[in-house]
């Protein structure tokens, strides 16, 4: 069960290129049961990073199945962190810096979380990192750059780099944002809102599988789209801009051999991440990794519990190896 949101304030944070922000907020939540070694260090911390579009999330929807069948509340201490660049933590919108916010990289994102953990928790080594979509980018970057800092990684629908189709989408987002005439002005504007709606519409097209969209009629798609598009009013154009810039530079493909953590990769073969092109290659590129495919048998947009059974049981078996 999730506890209420918590905020930790770091006195300062220094970005890769040297700029420093002061009084930096980090939002986090915890649930589960911490376990300690004889020196008082937490030994079963599992960090979770969600996809940017949570409305269609395998991990969010499968959470109840995995938790109820695996009893992991008693086994793991989960720490859910809102990463650098998201509005709940330090971001262009939350700081009010907007277009003047420091340009950040995935290295900055990892150091942001590592500094937070060092200040807030007593942890020698993280048990595991879990990420989906863009959250998987954080996990992969961390496992490549600091391979001795975790025992396992579990990634759903992600990739080793932003290239090909994903690169085109990010370039389209860049063009949409660059078309805003009043981007370098403060405050609300009709132009910014319209462009944010356009961005959300583009993201909606990649939020599920082709099979599911083809099983819906246009009225059903329109109804789901309206729900999805409502989320854009809780987002910010500057947060999108800086995060998209970070996406465009993401590429750890040549560093995957550095990963030492036991690794599980799961694909639901959605429109944005492809099983054959994005997930299956991890089997050869990450030593000893396990790659699973969630078969696309679903007829509806939303998951049902039965949809998780085959892959869900394999996920549970993987996680059970790390019970302390």
């Amino acid at each position: 069960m999730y506890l209420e949101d918590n905020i930790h304030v770091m006195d300062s944070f220094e970005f890769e290129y040297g700029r420093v922000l002061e009084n930096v907020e980090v939002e986090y939540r915890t649930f589960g049961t911490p376990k300690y070694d004889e020196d008082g260090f937490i030994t079963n911390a599992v960090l979770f990073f969600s996809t940017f579009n949570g409305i269609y999330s395998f991990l969010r929807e499968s959470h109840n199945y995995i938790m109820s069948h695996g009893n992991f509340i008693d086994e793991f201490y989960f720490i859910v962190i809102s990463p650098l660049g998201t509005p709940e933590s330090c971001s262009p919108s939350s700081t009010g810096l907007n277009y003047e916010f420091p340009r950040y990289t995935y290295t900055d994102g990892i150091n942001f979380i590592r500094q937070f953990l060092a200040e807030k928790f007593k942890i020698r080594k993280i048990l595991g990192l879990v990420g989906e979509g863009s959250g998987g980018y954080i996990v992969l970057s961390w496992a490549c750059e600091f391979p001795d800092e975790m025992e396992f990684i579990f990634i759903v629908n992600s990739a080793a780099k932003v290239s090909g189709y994903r690169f085109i989408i990010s370039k389209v987002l860049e063009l949409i944002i660059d078309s805003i005439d009043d981007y370098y002005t403060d405050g609300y504007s009709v132009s910014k809102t319209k462009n944010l709606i356009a961005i959300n519409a583009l993201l909606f097209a990649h939020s599920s599988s082709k099979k599911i969209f083809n099983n819906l009629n246009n009225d059903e798609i329109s109804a789901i789209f309206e729900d999805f598009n409502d989320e854009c009013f809780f987002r910010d154009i500057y947060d999108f801009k800086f995060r998209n810039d970070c996406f465009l530079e993401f590429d750890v493909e040549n560093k995957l051999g550095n990963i030492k953590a036991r690794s599980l990769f799961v694909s639901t073969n959605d429109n944005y991440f492809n099983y054959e092109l994005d997930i299956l290659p991890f089997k050869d590129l990450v030593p000893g990794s396990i790659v699973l495919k969630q078969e696309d048998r679903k007829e509806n947009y939303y998951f049902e519990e039965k949809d998780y059974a085959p892959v869900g049981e394999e996920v549970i078996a993987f996680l059970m190896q790390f019970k302390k």
Side-chain angles (χ1 to χ4, degrees), residues 249-274:
E249 296 179 354
F250 175 70
D251 184 355
V252 295
E253 189 173 59
N254 293 330
K255 298 180 180 180
L256 293 175
N258 296 344
I259 296 176
K260 296 180 181 179
R262 280 183 277 179
S263 308
L264 173 63
F265 299 90
V266 174
S267 170
T268 64
N269 208 29
D270 64 14
N271 281 339
Y272 197 68
F273 296 104
N274 180 273

Side-chain angles (χ1 to χ4, degrees), residues 47-252:
L47 275 57
F48 175 78
F49 305 99
S50 68
T51 179
F52 194 39
N53 288 312
I55 195 167
Y56 187 83
S57 161
F58 174 83
L59 283 176
R60 186 178 75 173
E61 298 298 333
S62 65
H63 176 269
N64 289 336
Y65 181 91
I66 293 172
M67 288 299 174
S68 63
H69 289 70
N71 193 32
F72 293 117
I73 294 296
D74 294 330
E75 299 299 335
F76 297 147
Y77 184 56
F78 294 93
I79 306 174
V80 185
I81 303 169
S82 297
L84 178 68
T86 56
E88 297 81 8
S89 286
C90 179
S91 74
S93 65
S94 65
T95 60
L97 291 172
N98 297 328
Y99 52 84
E100 295 181 330
F101 193 78
R103 185 181 180 94
Y104 60 87
T105 65
Y106 275 99
T107 299
D108 289 319
I110 297 166
N111 288 333
F112 177 84
I113 298 164
R114 293 172 76 239
Q115 179 177 328
F116 158 73
L117 291 175
E119 292 185 11
K120 187 63 184 177
F121 295 97
K122 195 174 180 181
I123 300 173
R124 275 201 183 102
K125 185 173 184 177
I126 299 162
L127 180 60
L129 301 177
V130 180
E132 181 176 14
S134 57
Y137 297 166
I138 298 173
V139 173
L140 284 169
S141 298
W142 198 335
C144 288
E145 297 297 334
F146 303 98
D148 295 314
E149 292 190 356
M150 73 291 300
E151 292 187 31
F152 77 83
I153 61 173
F154 169 29
I155 291 175
V156 177
N157 288 339
S158 195
K161 60 182 177 180
V162 171
S163 62
Y165 185 70
R166 283 182 303 279
F167 181 77
I168 294 169
I169 295 301
S170 282
K171 292 302 288 185
V172 171
L173 293 176
E174 186 178 59
L175 289 171
I176 292 173
I177 295 170
D178 286 347
S179 71
I180 302 174
D181 291 334
D182 57 351
Y183 178 83
Y184 293 103
T185 62
D186 294 324
Y188 161 85
S189 77
V190 173
S191 174
K192 292 175 187 176
T193 301
K194 285 183 175 180
N195 278 273
L196 195 54
I197 292 172
I199 288 170
N200 224 49
L202 182 63
L203 295 175
F204 172 74
H206 310 287
S207 65
S208 189
S209 70
K210 294 182 178 69
K211 176 181 177 181
I212 293 171
F213 278 138
N214 287 334
N215 284 334
L216 302 173
N217 62 45
N218 288 346
D219 288 339
E220 291 172 321
I221 292 175
S222 295
I224 296 171
F225 174 70
E226 290 301 320
D227 289 340
F228 190 95
N229 211 35
D230 285 345
E231 289 195 356
C232 78
F233 296 107
F234 299 96
R235 293 175 177 163
D236 181 87
I237 196 69
Y238 299 106
D239 294 342
F240 261 119
K241 164 65 174 172
F242 280 80
R243 196 164 199 188
N244 191 58
D245 288 345
C246 189
F247 283 178
L248 284 166
E249 296 179 354
F250 175 70
D251 184 355
V252 295

